[in-house]
Amino acid sequence: MAPNDIVALLGEVGAWGVNLHDNDLVPIDATAAERDSIVRSFKKACEANGMVVPMATVSLFFHPVFRDGAFTANDPEVRSYAVQKTMRAMDIGAELGAKIFVLWGGREGVETDACRPAQDAIKRLREAVNYLCQYSIDRGYGMKFALEAKPNEPRSDIYMSTTGNYLGFIPTLDHPEMVGVNPEMAHEHMAGLNFMHAVAQAWEAGKLFHIDLNDQMPGRYDQDLRFGSANIKSSFWLVKFLEDVRYGGPRHFDAHAYRTEDYEGVKDFARGCMRTYLMLKEKACRWNQDSEIQQILAELGSEGKAPKVGKYSREGASGLLSYVFDKGKILQKRLPYERLDQLTVDLLLGAR
Amino acid sequence: MAPNDIVALLGEVGAWGVNLHDNDLVPIDATAAERDSIVRSFKKACEANGMVVPMATVSLFFHPVFRDGAFTANDPEVRSYAVQKTMRAMDIGAELGAKIFVLWGGREGVETDACRPAQDAIKRLREAVNYLCQYSIDRGYGMKFALEAKPNEPRSDIYMSTTGNYLGFIPTLDHPEMVGVNPEMAHEHMAGLNFMHAVAQAWEAGKLFHIDLNDQMPGRYDQDLRFGSANIKSSFWLVKFLEDVRYGGPRHFDAHAYRTEDYEGVKDFARGCMRTYLMLKEKACRWNQDSEIQQILAELGSEGKAPKVGKYSREGASGLLSYVFDKGKILQKRLPYERLDQLTVDLLLGAR
Amino acid sequence: MAPNDIVALLGEVGAWGVNLHDNDLVPIDATAAERDSIVRSFKKACEANGMVVPMATVSLFFHPVFRDGAFTANDPEVRSYAVQKTMRAMDIGAELGAKIFVLWGGREGVETDACRPAQDAIKRLREAVNYLCQYSIDRGYGMKFALEAKPNEPRSDIYMSTTGNYLGFIPTLDHPEMVGVNPEMAHEHMAGLNFMHAVAQAWEAGKLFHIDLNDQMPGRYDQDLRFGSANIKSSFWLVKFLEDVRYGGPRHFDAHAYRTEDYEGVKDFARGCMRTYLMLKEKACRWNQDSEIQQILAELGSEGKAPKVGKYSREGASGLLSYVFDKGKILQKRLPYERLDQLTVDLLLGAR
Amino acid sequence: MAPNDIVALLGEVGAWGVNLHDNDLVPIDATAAERDSIVRSFKKACEANGMVVPMATVSLFFHPVFRDGAFTANDPEVRSYAVQKTMRAMDIGAELGAKIFVLWGGREGVETDACRPAQDAIKRLREAVNYLCQYSIDRGYGMKFALEAKPNEPRSDIYMSTTGNYLGFIPTLDHPEMVGVNPEMAHEHMAGLNFMHAVAQAWEAGKLFHIDLNDQMPGRYDQDLRFGSANIKSSFWLVKFLEDVRYGGPRHFDAHAYRTEDYEGVKDFARGCMRTYLMLKEKACRWNQDSEIQQILAELGSEGKAPKVGKYSREGASGLLSYVFDKGKILQKRLPYERLDQLTVDLLLGAR
């Protein structure tokens, strides 16, 4: 589909924003004049459809020149080209008003670890991200970067395989305050991990700059299923988390319709993503207001007389060390998690 | 087996050090006098067998009081007891000369996310680790902490599921310089991840404080197989990494013999771990000296005339932006990774 | 819990039947007199609580004598003992009225394929099952056997890893008509497979003799979670299948409560299994009556003019071979599966 | 690559045979004249390069007309077209001398189980295979069919997900003797299963008609890696099995070179598959001749005085039931599997 048609379709189904890879909009070998004309026309289409462009990104994986990676490729020329291509994509993003720039290193990985020392790949990645931060500062773009992890596919092993790895990488950068993460549900599920836990860690560290919502069964190829269509309960915990902490960023549905669909089916799919999000949001609200659920939670957090952990002090430590804990008594406190979970299932199934 | 017998067995098979959970040595409800006598006797057994105790750790998962976690449990009394128990284990570790203290939160997780907000678990974990760092400082123990991740089992989802998550958590602590990671091969494999990549990221960030070596097939229960017995090639890349960067810490084999074995079999198993490590180390050395392999690697890194990424400067950026990359020419450079990998297989199979 | 207490608990929560491993009822080294007295007492407890015993089974995995398997163990004495133990468990089952006997070979597997040729394991398994069929015939027990697959745990690889493998094994037996399968949801999910598809294949082949309902996330240790608590949608398709085909056997919940629970929690758990099954059954009924869903299904199955496959005949084949299919026209037929699936999600969430 | 070039390349690297999907050779919309000319030319190329065509197959997954499956599609016209296309591919196969016809139902599956009852898919599949068997008989082709399983990709769940499922399906056909399986290593590994166990079950049942060799890490997208490049040890057990039982069919390497390779790299890759197979074959031979290994195996199989299972007789059963097994004594027999496995590792690494 042409970019302007995508904008029209999204407008029709009621979406708020749109994001595109650089080359979904501007062909990789377009002249400067072609590029300008396309961007101008797209900007108008967005305005006409009341659509914002909150985020921009760059394809560093589609063209075969990136067959061995982009920022981490063994060929220094590929690394330079990848940075140039990203700078140009940032220019387009700035022009369209994007304040978040997503970096997904689709081919930053290996089939055989013979090809490069893994620590070199990390150093190269750091060099590129540092460079791009400085470029944003230099141009006054005010952009922030959101790094997106994935464990594998299309490479056998991708460096920075989970959101956690990026959270560990960011503090080693020159401008850690400019860089956060873009967790994708399907990517974390591919490794069988609890997506909401990764999102919560990113958020708690002030690093949840963007999020990609879709769905996926664990341990499979990248499925990008309609949000909420495979794992209803995990999707619920995620929506509940985002709403409870009042996450202010866009809810980006980075999914695609089944390959069996036609144009109408793609609209069904897009509407389904948003509809299921809203249904789960409403359930999260009811969960928070359910008196039986809230009573169980209140009892779980009740405090006893034992010293608290809190902030360390020599006196506190001495008191804690000498306190005699009654393990038998602790074990008598109920943890009615089966009941709590069944109430959640009842609520999800509309039986409560 | 009794701790002193373990020391004797390890001495017999030629091990260098030994590590124990607090309660493998001292029963959980031992009196102070019993505790002192046991630790003294164990210290002697170590000296008699020429065995050092490089690392100490605490069991925060075995006793049912930790059925809902330790540092992250909902019951504040459990959290306090977990910190107290860890302080006491640090005391024992200090007495035995350990400079690394491993924290593995075996039950810090959930079966249902109904039971607590995930961000609260992270805050509680931070509070505990900050407290323990201060305790080490206060007592002058000079200990460093190594945090060990695991995706699941015995809980359905464990917080801090991969080494990456801990690398992201550490910079949010009061004393990040005192805290690193203890990656375990089996735990990373459970999530289907490339273990060496995680180890390389930790090492490159100066955070590889300890390592647990064993083996595991992806997507299964925690197997703790003999090192090198399931994934020969991944084990090779790991050993090569540790030797190439001259990792100076202990190679800790945190595995266990098949359940079918008797006492002699446990010795076979322990010897096998060390033997396979040494065979792979020798192969890593030969790999580095193999002239065909080295020639391919040299050609891969050859540089062209395009501007390098390097450090950002306005002039450099301008030059990079305007450079015309010849994608067709780049694509002509060979990437003979199949050959490189086959040479590795040949070398592993002793055919080279 | 004591067997008679389990019966009381199950009666209290409204269960219909109960199944036990031989040694959950009768200790492995009980005398004949003890065994008789226990079985008699249990039978009375069942009658008192209106509980039937539709299925019996044998533990061939708990005692360390089975550390290398039972029917497939390398030691011929273990194989003989395993058959003897099963015969005795069949005697108990017959006494309690069980007409289905489940065989789960928990330790029929390997950590290393060095230990035996895999084909020998299959031959030994066949010998044992043939023997046991003959024993049932000889005693006039009228029992049928239901074989239960599992991919791994506690062994690294278990022979007959999926329900499909057993469906392939059964036709090679002396009395295939006496032998079917007992698919377990968690076991099939461990390998990331669609459980309902396996159940449907077994049912379609007349081999669905029993079923074990629970829940499990893919690619993990054996979780045995409360039915419907992890995968709401997969559980729905399963319930819908069982109800649509009017499966007549017991719905056996082979799960266990979270380790955090107490006695009351175990009842919450047991009630939850049944409650969720019934909620999903009601939704399956509504799905079948939903006019929009049914209209889509009707359109999907509409037939054109092309020759049908049907039964082979020379004339039919000749007609089929020469028919010109219009691929373009075929591609125009809509397959509105996104819509169909979203209607299902709406229905599950109670929004329809 | 053009088919005739593939034949030339395979000839150059020393391959014995070649297999192609119908449309890799003949374009899907070729006229009868084009088709005849292409097949004739290909036949000559094979003869010129001394290459046989042991197996033929049909693409029922590439063209979008099969987006909802082929034999199991909801549209009856698609099902008829799929059978027609297969008949024509059989005609080509017969002309080229193929005696095995592989059926891989790449798109026979679902994203949502709403779209059809799973049992209907099985019935449709049976109808198609029965029809094709009859066609082979009718034409006197003397072909056998080898069915190839896969758990997922490109569909979310593929029916007949493992080799075991096909082994269970075959006995329900009209001509089970004409139908076997074509297990593919990567497909079984995707589900985390032990490939050799599946192959052994197929072989033991007389159903191993063909085999696809490659490699794959568990729980990922379909990788089709060079044989022996990911799982050296599993590859060894497989080669050892095939050689031990003197499997007489072709060793078909159904893999592809890394996407980073050029034409020379594809040859490196093809040579690597064969080379690793032969190296492992030689190791299997040495394993069978290793006296320490053989002594351990001999001791494992030693028999005691207990009654054997064997064939059922009333007297035998009575003797078995009354025999008193000494579990303590059984437990004293050693099972030195760690040693056996380490000897295998030593042998694989060339240290023995």
Side-chain angles (χ1 to χ4, degrees):
Chain A
M1 286 175 71
N4 293 13
D5 294 343
I6 293 174
V7 171
L9 182 150
L10 288 172
E12 191 182 339
V13 299
W16 162 79
V18 61
N19 313 298
L20 291 174
H21 287 107
D22 53 347
N23 300 141
D24 296 337
L25 187 60
V26 181
I28 195 165
D29 289 318
T31 64
E34 286 162 355
R35 176 243 183 246
D36 289 349
S37 148
I38 291 168
V39 174
R40 222 177 303 125
S41 152
F42 183 70
K43 216 170 161 177
K44 273 191 202 149
C46 288
E47 285 163 8
N49 289 279
M51 199 73 52
V52 300
V53 181
M55 176 270 271
T57 185
V58 58
S59 167
L60 298 175
F61 49 89
F62 189 79
H63 194 281
V65 80
F66 300 121
R67 67 202 196 280
D68 185 37
F71 298 149
T72 67
N74 276 331
D75 184 343
E77 240 180 306
V78 173
R79 302 202 293 271
S80 296
Y81 176 58
V83 169
Q84 183 201 63
K85 191 169 190 291
T86 307
M87 292 160 85
R88 290 180 177 178
M90 287 167 67
D91 295 345
I92 298 178
E95 206 169 327
L96 295 171
K99 287 296 172 194
I100 295 287
F101 196 90
V102 164
L103 286 172
W104 175 56
R107 293 197 182 264
E108 315 285 13
V110 292
E111 276 75 42
T112 172
D113 279 309
C115 74
R116 83 179 64 80
Q119 62 274 35
D120 287 5
I122 298 169
K123 287 183 203 311
R124 291 171 187 172
L125 184 61
R126 185 182 295 119
E127 185 180 70
V129 178
N130 281 339
Y131 196 98
L132 296 166
C133 285
Q134 208 59 53
Y135 181 66
S136 173
I137 293 170
D138 193 20
R139 292 283 168 120
Y141 284 162
M143 271 181 186
K144 295 197 161 194
F145 294 88
L147 310 180
E148 179 176 334
K150 192 178 179 187
N152 61 71
E153 196 187 356
R155 303 305 295 273
S156 197
D157 287 297
I158 298 182
Y159 300 119
M160 304 288 133
S161 53
T162 71
T163 297
N165 292 281
Y166 269 131
L167 292 174
F169 172 70
I170 291 167
T172 73
L173 295 170
D174 288 348
H175 289 283
E177 75 287 355
M178 289 176 65
V179 187
V181 291
N182 177 40
E184 173 167 331
M185 191 155 183
H187 295 181
E188 225 65 29
H189 281 199
M190 286 170 76
L193 303 175
N194 184 313
F195 181 56
M196 187 269 279
H197 288 190
V199 170
Q201 187 185 356
W203 179 84
E204 205 262 351
K207 290 301 181 194
L208 188 64
F209 286 9
H210 198 266
I211 192 165
D212 275 0
L213 303 177
N214 50 21
D215 214 342
Q216 164 88 29
M217 290 299 284
R220 297 193 184 175
Y221 71 100
D222 190 12
Q223 299 191 282
D224 284 343
L225 296 167
R226 196 177 79 253
F227 179 69
S229 66
N231 296 279
I232 292 175
K233 207 173 162 198
S234 322
S235 302
F236 169 70
W237 295 126
L238 177 74
V239 170
K240 184 171 179 305
F241 175 83
L242 294 176
E243 298 300 322
D244 282 353
V245 303
R246 297 169 201 268
Y247 165 70
R251 275 76 173 158
H252 181 225
F253 297 104
D254 188 19
H256 57 64
Y258 301 154
R259 301 310 187 195
T260 41
E261 294 296 330
D262 59 6
Y263 183 83
E264 282 307 307
V266 172
K267 285 197 280 187
D268 288 341
F269 149 80
R271 284 194 191 100
C273 285
M274 292 184 286
R275 174 168 172 76
T276 300
Y277 189 97
L278 293 173
M279 288 192 288
L280 294 178
K281 178 180 170 178
E282 196 261 329
K283 294 204 181 269
C285 181
R286 292 175 66 172
W287 199 92
N288 288 334
Q289 291 165 357
D290 188 297
S291 58
E292 186 173 351
I293 289 174
Q294 292 309 315
Q295 192 185 332
I296 294 176
L297 292 179
E299 282 166 18
L300 282 173
S302 71
E303 309 211 332
K305 276 175 294 182
K308 304 288 171 299
V309 177
K311 217 179 145 48
Y312 185 87
S313 72
R314 194 163 294 179
E315 301 68 38
S318 166
L320 176 54
L321 267 176
S322 61
Y323 186 84
V324 181
F325 288 91
D326 183 344
K327 294 197 288 293
K329 211 176 147 196
I330 291 175
L331 278 169
Q332 284 166 24
K333 294 190 200 156
R334 294 204 63 208
L335 297 168
Y337 294 165
E338 287 279 3
R339 178 72 187 144
L340 203 48
D341 193 68
Q342 184 65 40
L343 289 170
T344 306
V345 170
D346 284 7
L347 204 147
L348 283 174
L349 293 179
R352 191 174 177 81
Chain B
M1 287 174 72
N4 292 15
D5 294 344
I6 293 174
V7 170
L9 182 151
L10 288 172
E12 191 181 338
V13 299
W16 163 80
V18 60
N19 313 298
L20 291 174
H21 288 107
D22 53 347
N23 301 141
D24 296 336
L25 188 60
V26 181
I28 194 164
D29 290 317
T31 64
E34 285 161 354
R35 177 243 183 246
D36 288 349
S37 147
I38 291 168
V39 174
R40 221 176 302 125
S41 151
F42 183 71
K43 216 170 162 176
K44 271 190 204 153
C46 288
E47 285 162 9
N49 289 280
M51 199 74 53
V52 300
V53 180
M55 176 269 271
T57 186
V58 58
S59 167
L60 298 175
F61 50 89
F62 189 79
H63 194 282
V65 80
F66 300 122
R67 68 202 196 279
D68 184 38
F71 298 149
T72 67
N74 275 332
D75 184 344
E77 237 179 312
V78 173
R79 302 202 294 272
S80 295
Y81 175 59
V83 170
Q84 182 201 63
K85 191 169 190 292
T86 307
M87 293 160 85
R88 290 179 176 178
M90 288 168 66
D91 296 344
I92 298 178
E95 206 169 330
L96 295 171
K99 287 296 172 194
I100 296 287
F101 196 92
V102 164
L103 286 172
W104 175 57
R107 294 198 181 263
E108 314 285 13
V110 292
E111 277 74 42
T112 173
D113 279 308
C115 73
R116 83 178 64 80
Q119 63 273 35
D120 287 5
I122 298 169
K123 287 184 203 311
R124 291 172 186 171
L125 184 61
R126 185 181 296 119
E127 184 180 71
V129 178
N130 281 339
Y131 196 98
L132 296 167
C133 284
Q134 209 58 53
Y135 181 66
S136 174
I137 293 170
D138 193 21
R139 292 282 169 119
Y141 284 162
M143 271 180 186
K144 295 197 161 194
F145 294 87
L147 310 180
E148 179 177 334
K150 193 179 179 186
N152 61 71
E153 196 187 356
R155 303 306 295 272
S156 198
D157 288 297
I158 298 181
Y159 301 118
M160 304 288 132
S161 52
T162 71
T163 297
N165 291 282
Y166 269 130
L167 292 175
F169 171 70
I170 291 167
T172 72
L173 295 170
D174 288 348
H175 289 283
E177 76 287 355
M178 290 176 65
V179 187
V181 290
N182 177 40
E184 174 167 330
M185 190 155 182
H187 295 180
E188 227 61 30
H189 280 199
M190 285 170 76
L193 303 175
N194 184 312
F195 182 56
M196 188 270 279
H197 288 190
V199 170
Q201 186 185 356
W203 178 84
E204 205 262 352
K207 291 299 181 196
L208 188 63
F209 286 7
H210 198 266
I211 193 166
D212 276 0
L213 303 176
N214 49 22
D215 214 341
Q216 163 89 29
M217 291 299 284
R220 296 193 185 174
Y221 71 99
D222 190 13
Q223 298 191 283
D224 284 342
L225 296 168
R226 196 177 79 253
F227 180 68
S229 66
N231 296 279
I232 292 175
K233 207 173 162 199
S234 323
S235 303
F236 170 70
W237 294 125
L238 177 75
V239 170
K240 185 173 178 304
F241 174 84
L242 295 176
E243 298 301 321
D244 282 353
V245 302
R246 297 170 202 267
Y247 165 70
R251 276 74 174 157
H252 181 226
F253 297 103
D254 188 19
H256 56 64
Y258 303 153
R259 300 310 186 193
T260 41
E261 295 296 330
D262 60 6
Y263 183 82
E264 282 306 307
V266 172
K267 286 196 280 186
D268 289 340
F269 149 80
R271 284 193 190 101
C273 286
M274 292 184 285
R275 175 169 172 75
T276 299
Y277 188 97
L278 293 173
M279 289 192 288
L280 294 177
K281 179 180 170 178
E282 196 261 332
K283 292 200 181 273
C285 181
R286 294 176 64 172
W287 199 92
N288 289 334
Q289 292 165 358
D290 187 297
S291 58
E292 186 173 352
I293 289 173
Q294 293 309 315
Q295 193 186 329
I296 294 176
L297 292 179
E299 282 165 18
L300 282 174
S302 71
E303 309 211 332
K305 278 177 293 185
K308 304 286 171 299
V309 178
K311 217 179 144 49
Y312 185 89
S313 71
R314 194 164 292 180
E315 301 68 39
S318 165
L320 176 55
L321 266 176
S322 61
Y323 187 84
V324 180
F325 289 90
D326 183 344
K327 294 198 287 291
K329 212 176 145 196
I330 290 175
L331 278 168
Q332 284 167 24
K333 294 191 200 156
R334 294 205 62 209
L335 297 168
Y337 295 164
E338 286 279 3
R339 178 72 187 143
L340 203 49
D341 193 67
Q342 184 65 39
L343 290 170
T344 306
V345 170
D346 284 7
L347 203 146
L348 284 175
L349 292 179
R352 190 174 179 82
Chain C
M1 286 176 71
N4 291 15
D5 294 342
I6 293 175
V7 170
L9 183 151
L10 287 171
E12 192 182 337
V13 299
W16 163 78
V18 59
N19 312 299
L20 291 174
H21 288 108
D22 53 346
N23 301 141
D24 296 336
L25 188 61
V26 181
I28 195 165
D29 289 318
T31 63
E34 286 162 354
R35 176 242 184 247
D36 289 350
S37 149
I38 291 169
V39 174
R40 222 177 303 123
S41 152
F42 182 72
K43 215 170 162 175
K44 271 191 201 150
C46 288
E47 286 163 9
N49 289 279
M51 199 74 51
V52 301
V53 180
M55 175 271 271
T57 186
V58 59
S59 168
L60 298 175
F61 49 89
F62 189 79
H63 194 281
V65 79
F66 301 121
R67 69 202 195 278
D68 185 38
F71 297 150
T72 67
N74 275 331
D75 184 345
E77 238 180 308
V78 173
R79 302 202 293 271
S80 296
Y81 175 59
V83 169
Q84 182 201 63
K85 190 168 191 291
T86 306
M87 293 160 85
R88 289 180 176 178
M90 288 168 66
D91 295 344
I92 298 177
E95 207 168 327
L96 296 171
K99 287 295 172 194
I100 295 288
F101 196 91
V102 164
L103 285 172
W104 175 57
R107 295 198 180 264
E108 314 286 13
V110 292
E111 277 75 41
T112 174
D113 279 309
C115 74
R116 82 178 65 78
Q119 63 274 35
D120 286 5
I122 298 169
K123 288 184 202 311
R124 291 171 186 172
L125 184 61
R126 184 181 297 117
E127 183 180 74
V129 178
N130 282 339
Y131 196 99
L132 296 166
C133 284
Q134 209 59 53
Y135 181 66
S136 173
I137 293 169
D138 193 21
R139 291 284 167 117
Y141 284 162
M143 271 182 187
K144 295 197 161 194
F145 294 86
L147 310 180
E148 178 177 333
K150 193 179 178 186
N152 60 73
E153 197 189 355
R155 304 305 295 271
S156 198
D157 288 297
I158 298 181
Y159 300 118
M160 304 287 134
S161 52
T162 71
T163 297
N165 290 282
Y166 269 129
L167 292 174
F169 172 71
I170 291 167
T172 72
L173 295 170
D174 287 349
H175 289 281
E177 76 287 355
M178 288 176 67
V179 187
V181 291
N182 176 40
E184 174 167 330
M185 189 156 183
H187 294 180
E188 222 76 10
H189 280 201
M190 286 170 75
L193 303 174
N194 184 313
F195 181 57
M196 186 270 278
H197 289 189
V199 170
Q201 187 185 355
W203 179 85
E204 205 261 353
K207 290 300 182 194
L208 187 63
F209 285 9
H210 198 265
I211 192 164
D212 275 0
L213 302 177
N214 49 21
D215 213 341
Q216 162 88 29
M217 291 298 285
R220 298 193 185 174
Y221 70 100
D222 190 11
Q223 299 192 281
D224 284 343
L225 296 168
R226 196 176 79 251
F227 179 68
S229 66
N231 296 281
I232 292 174
K233 206 171 161 199
S234 323
S235 302
F236 170 70
W237 294 127
L238 177 75
V239 170
K240 183 171 180 303
F241 175 83
L242 294 176
E243 298 300 321
D244 282 354
V245 303
R246 297 169 201 267
Y247 166 71
R251 275 76 174 158
H252 180 225
F253 297 103
D254 188 17
H256 56 65
Y258 302 154
R259 299 312 185 192
T260 40
E261 294 297 330
D262 59 6
Y263 184 82
E264 282 307 307
V266 172
K267 285 196 280 185
D268 288 340
F269 149 80
R271 285 193 190 102
C273 285
M274 291 184 286
R275 172 166 173 77
T276 300
Y277 189 97
L278 293 173
M279 287 191 288
L280 294 177
K281 178 180 172 179
E282 196 261 330
K283 293 202 182 271
C285 181
R286 292 176 65 174
W287 199 94
N288 288 335
Q289 292 165 356
D290 187 296
S291 59
E292 186 175 351
I293 289 173
Q294 293 309 315
Q295 192 185 332
I296 295 175
L297 292 178
E299 283 165 18
L300 283 173
S302 72
E303 310 211 333
K305 278 175 293 182
K308 303 287 169 300
V309 178
K311 217 179 146 49
Y312 186 89
S313 71
R314 195 164 293 181
E315 301 69 38
S318 166
L320 176 55
L321 266 176
S322 61
Y323 186 84
V324 181
F325 289 91
D326 183 345
K327 292 198 289 292
K329 210 175 148 196
I330 291 176
L331 278 168
Q332 283 166 24
K333 294 191 200 158
R334 294 205 62 208
L335 298 167
Y337 295 165
E338 286 279 1
R339 178 73 189 143
L340 204 48
D341 193 67
Q342 183 65 39
L343 289 169
T344 307
V345 170
D346 284 5
L347 204 146
L348 283 175
L349 292 179
R352 191 177 177 82
Chain D
M1 286 176 71
N4 291 16
D5 294 343
I6 293 174
V7 170
L9 183 150
L10 288 171
E12 191 182 338
V13 299
W16 163 78
V18 60
N19 313 298
L20 290 174
H21 289 108
D22 52 348
N23 301 141
D24 296 336
L25 187 60
V26 181
I28 194 164
D29 290 317
T31 64
E34 286 162 354
R35 175 241 184 249
D36 288 351
S37 149
I38 291 168
V39 173
R40 223 178 302 124
S41 152
F42 182 72
K43 216 171 162 177
K44 272 190 203 151
C46 287
E47 285 162 10
N49 289 280
M51 199 74 51
V52 302
V53 181
M55 174 270 271
T57 185
V58 58
S59 168
L60 297 175
F61 49 89
F62 189 79
H63 194 281
V65 79
F66 300 122
R67 67 201 196 278
D68 186 38
F71 298 149
T72 67
N74 275 332
D75 184 345
E77 237 179 310
V78 173
R79 303 202 294 271
S80 295
Y81 176 59
V83 169
Q84 182 202 64
K85 191 168 190 292
T86 306
M87 292 160 84
R88 290 179 176 178
M90 288 168 65
D91 295 344
I92 298 178
E95 206 168 329
L96 296 171
K99 287 294 172 194
I100 295 287
F101 196 90
V102 164
L103 286 171
W104 176 56
R107 294 198 181 263
E108 314 286 14
V110 291
E111 277 75 42
T112 174
D113 278 309
C115 75
R116 83 179 64 78
Q119 63 273 34
D120 286 5
I122 298 169
K123 287 184 202 312
R124 292 171 186 172
L125 184 61
R126 185 181 295 117
E127 183 180 72
V129 178
N130 281 340
Y131 196 98
L132 296 166
C133 285
Q134 208 59 52
Y135 181 65
S136 173
I137 293 169
D138 193 20
R139 291 283 168 118
Y141 285 162
M143 271 181 187
K144 295 198 161 192
F145 295 87
L147 310 180
E148 178 178 334
K150 192 179 179 186
N152 61 72
E153 196 189 357
R155 304 306 295 271
S156 198
D157 288 297
I158 299 181
Y159 300 118
M160 303 288 134
S161 52
T162 72
T163 298
N165 291 282
Y166 269 129
L167 292 174
F169 172 72
I170 292 166
T172 73
L173 295 169
D174 288 348
H175 290 282
E177 75 287 355
M178 289 176 67
V179 188
V181 290
N182 176 41
E184 174 167 330
M185 190 155 182
H187 294 181
E188 222 76 9
H189 280 200
M190 287 171 75
L193 303 175
N194 185 312
F195 182 58
M196 186 270 279
H197 288 188
V199 171
Q201 187 186 355
W203 178 85
E204 205 261 353
K207 290 299 181 195
L208 187 64
F209 285 8
H210 198 266
I211 192 165
D212 275 0
L213 303 178
N214 49 21
D215 213 341
Q216 162 89 29
M217 291 299 285
R220 297 193 186 174
Y221 69 101
D222 190 11
Q223 300 191 281
D224 283 343
L225 296 167
R226 195 176 79 252
F227 180 67
S229 66
N231 296 281
I232 293 175
K233 206 172 162 198
S234 322
S235 303
F236 170 70
W237 294 125
L238 178 74
V239 170
K240 185 173 180 302
F241 175 83
L242 295 176
E243 298 300 321
D244 282 353
V245 302
R246 297 168 200 267
Y247 166 70
R251 275 75 174 159
H252 180 226
F253 297 104
D254 188 18
H256 57 65
Y258 301 154
R259 299 312 185 192
T260 41
E261 294 296 330
D262 60 5
Y263 184 81
E264 282 307 307
V266 172
K267 285 197 280 187
D268 288 341
F269 149 81
R271 285 194 190 100
C273 285
M274 291 184 286
R275 173 166 172 77
T276 300
Y277 189 96
L278 293 173
M279 287 192 288
L280 294 177
K281 178 180 171 178
E282 196 263 330
K283 293 203 181 271
C285 181
R286 292 175 65 174
W287 199 94
N288 288 335
Q289 291 164 357
D290 187 297
S291 59
E292 186 173 352
I293 289 173
Q294 293 309 315
Q295 193 185 331
I296 294 175
L297 292 178
E299 282 166 17
L300 282 174
S302 71
E303 310 211 331
K305 279 175 293 183
K308 304 287 170 299
V309 178
K311 218 180 143 49
Y312 185 90
S313 72
R314 193 164 293 182
E315 301 68 39
S318 166
L320 176 54
L321 266 176
S322 60
Y323 186 83
V324 181
F325 288 90
D326 182 346
K327 292 197 289 291
K329 212 176 146 197
I330 290 175
L331 279 169
Q332 283 166 25
K333 294 189 200 159
R334 294 204 63 208
L335 297 167
Y337 294 165
E338 287 279 2
R339 178 73 189 143
L340 203 48
D341 193 67
Q342 183 65 39
L343 290 169
T344 306
V345 170
D346 284 7
L347 204 146
L348 284 175
L349 293 179
R352 191 178 178 79

